[in-house]
Amino acid sequence: MKFSKLLLIALSISLFVSCSSDDDDTSKGAYDNGFFILNEGSQSLGTISFSSNDLNSFTKNVYEKENGTDAVGGYLQNIFFSGDRAYIIAGGSNVINVVNRYTFKLIAKIDSGLVAPRYGVVKDGKAYVINAGEYSYQNPATGDTDDYIAVINLSNNTVESKVALNSTANRVIEENGKLYITDAYNDKLLIYNIASKALETPVTIGFDGDSIEEEDGVLFILRRPYGGAGEIVKVKISDKSISRIALPASIGQAGFMDIEDDKVYYTASNSVYSFSTNATTAPTTALFASDASYVYGFAVKDNHIYIADAKFTADSKAFIYNLSGVLQKELTTGAGSNGFYFND
């Protein structure tokens, strides 16, 4: 009898553990374990596509599928995540759509306090969204200096304050409680301290700073001056010291940059290049030339390279390659595909 009871208890525990394990593997929704492709579209309307990680399942317009006639807005710029929510920035409509990242059902819209919003990050329950304000062609007097950070309380989805940058602003990342913001029209890397709510002394890196990534305490910033050779600027966060890796003029104007597994990947024209994060010189030979005619979005993730080939009056394409440049999948997306966002 003792043996039978012990056996019954053991079987019950085994069954419970098995069921619990199965529950942990349960998908959180139709858009779990995949990636979104943001399609900029027009000033009035963009779209969002989705592919599973195994590239076997694809939906061209997930927002419309899940939210019917509700408009996501135009000039879609960026998606950022917090918990089970995704925040879709529509810069042409001055709105951020809040959706469940796994079902893509609309939860709320943040539609006040924003002027040409671009990129966002989240820290401690608040979103920090870069706003371009007016552009210089709209207002020559202040268009290059009116950019600001909108601080959004994510508990009620409202802009609770604004931080004037007195400069232009481009992309942003958050590291250790500080925002690092590239400035496309000036020569500075802007720094905002979240705790002190103050801008710190900027770092001079050169004009046309664009893509920015962090790896092992170092910021990697791609400078892509028009008509000139680009470079990757490395800024050590601890002391703000700078080193530079010049990109060969022979490759043409640099486009986009990403970092994966201690390697820097970047584009020039339709080609992809790579070097170690510890390297001091850049290669002259590409990893491969992509099938894209106009590279407008780029990412590297889990042994795959993602390239958006943008068209603005027709559907764009997304090409997914392995790290050797062998094409794995070609997807037909929407107008102006400009970015990849991984929902893992």
Side-chain angles (χ1 to χ4, degrees), residues 272-302:
V272 178
Y273 298 80
S274 177
F275 59 78
S276 167
T277 52
N278 295 320
T280 56
T281 59
T284 57
T285 303
L287 286 176
F288 66 95
S290 75
D291 298 287
S293 58
Y294 182 53
V295 176
Y296 199 54
F298 177 71
V300 184
K301 173 80 168 176
D302 294 338

Side-chain angles (χ1 to χ4, degrees), residues 46-285:
T47 61
I48 303 154
S49 305
F50 176 82
S51 172
S52 59
N53 285 333
D54 61 12
L55 308 179
N56 290 328
S57 175
F58 176 74
T59 304
K60 186 178 178 183
N61 188 342
V62 295
Y63 190 89
E64 181 180 69
K65 178 182 177 182
E66 300 301 338
N67 297 293
T69 59
D70 181 79
V72 68
Y75 289 158
L76 301 187
Q77 184 67 40
N78 179 234
I79 299 176
F80 61 93
F81 300 103
S82 179
D84 63 358
R85 297 187 176 189
Y87 298 81
I88 308 161
I89 297 178
S93 303
N94 296 327
V95 66
I96 300 174
N97 301 274
V98 186
V99 301
N100 182 291
R101 65 190 291 177
Y102 303 113
T103 67
F104 234 63
K105 296 293 187 182
L106 181 66
I107 297 171
K109 287 181 181 283
I110 304 168
D111 56 7
S112 64
L114 305 171
V115 182
R118 290 180 56 74
Y119 297 95
V121 294
V122 173
K123 176 69 173 176
D124 297 332
K126 294 184 181 181
Y128 297 83
V129 176
I130 301 302
N131 285 250
E134 291 184 309
Y135 291 95
S136 57
Y137 74 86
Q138 298 170 315
N139 188 336
T142 61
D144 287 339
T145 59
D146 65 352
D147 296 27
Y148 64 93
I149 304 168
V151 182
I152 302 172
N153 187 328
L154 297 184
S155 66
N156 57 17
N157 293 314
T158 58
V159 174
E160 65 178 25
S161 63
K162 298 178 181 179
V163 180
L165 293 173
N166 302 312
S167 185
T168 56
N170 193 12
R171 299 180 187 263
V172 58
I173 63 171
E174 183 275 327
E175 289 293 330
N176 299 321
K178 295 183 180 182
L179 305 183
Y180 296 91
I181 304 164
T182 56
D183 185 339
Y185 296 98
N186 290 291
D187 62 353
K188 302 295 191 294
L189 172 69
L190 307 177
I191 304 171
Y192 177 71
N193 189 312
I194 293 173
S196 66
K197 299 182 179 180
L199 289 167
E200 296 187 354
T201 303
V203 178
T204 300
I205 61 170
F207 285 85
D208 299 298
D210 192 41
S211 301
I212 180 170
E213 298 287 337
E214 185 275 339
E215 188 80 2
D216 298 327
V218 176
L219 300 173
F220 290 75
I221 302 160
L222 177 65
R223 287 186 56 239
R224 39 176 294 182
Y226 180 76
E231 69 174 356
I232 291 175
V233 182
K234 298 169 67 173
V235 180
K236 192 174 181 180
I237 290 177
S238 60
D239 61 8
K240 299 179 182 177
S241 59
I242 293 176
S243 60
R244 301 173 186 270
I245 300 176
L247 304 182
S250 60
I251 71 173
Q253 186 179 12
F256 301 90
M257 181 194 72
D258 203 357
I259 295 178
E260 180 78 355
D261 293 335
D262 297 318
K263 285 190 176 182
V264 179
Y265 294 85
Y266 57 97
T267 67
S269 185
N270 69 332
S271 294
V272 178
Y273 298 80
S274 177
F275 59 78
S276 167
T277 52
N278 295 320
T280 56
T281 59
T284 57
T285 303

